[in-house]
Amino acid sequence: MLTRHADSLLVGETRGSPMEFLLRSLPTSHLEIIVATYFQGRTTREAARELGLAPDAANARLYQAMRGLSLMVDTYRRVHADPCSADSTESH
């Protein structure tokens, strides 16, 4: 089941959730390492072997990918924030 979902990310299907859109917006090398580790359940060492990377390079790429995705999620949340909820948090 997870691999079917991962396959849809890799081939760029146009439907899906905001998170799927953000994942597809990543550089291919970042998407591949996230799919291999999070969606296909591989260790970074296994993902490195599959992607032809040194283990240290896979760890660094996964870190960069997750950092980039985190920044994208933060931006998405700011852009799509409910203005009413922002007002209520500022009054506290």
Side-chain angles (χ1 to χ4, degrees):
M1 181 159 68
L2 289 177
T3 55
R4 186 184 80 215
H5 183 72
D7 290 343
S8 72
L9 289 172
L10 290 173
V11 297
E13 289 183 7
T14 56
R15 61 183 163 77
S17 70
M19 182 56 81
E20 289 176 50
F21 173 78
L22 295 175
L23 284 165
R24 283 193 303 274
S25 299
L26 291 170
T28 302
S29 61
H30 289 182
L31 178 59
E32 289 172 341
I33 193 74
I34 289 175
V35 167
T37 54
Y38 285 91
F39 290 94
Q40 296 174 340
R42 291 182 171 83
T43 65
T44 51
R45 186 172 295 280
E46 292 167 338
R49 193 174 325 121
E50 176 187 312
L51 298 171
L53 300 169
D56 287 344
N59 283 328
R61 186 173 293 176
L62 181 58
Y63 173 81
Q64 293 166 350
M66 293 304 292
R67 186 166 186 259
L69 183 58
S70 177
L71 293 171
M72 290 169 62
V73 168
D74 288 345
T75 300
Y76 180 86
R77 285 182 177 164
R78 277 194 307 275
V79 169
H80 293 85
D82 181 4
C84 295
S85 66
D87 291 340
S88 66
T89 58
E90 290 175 6
S91 63
H92 292 129

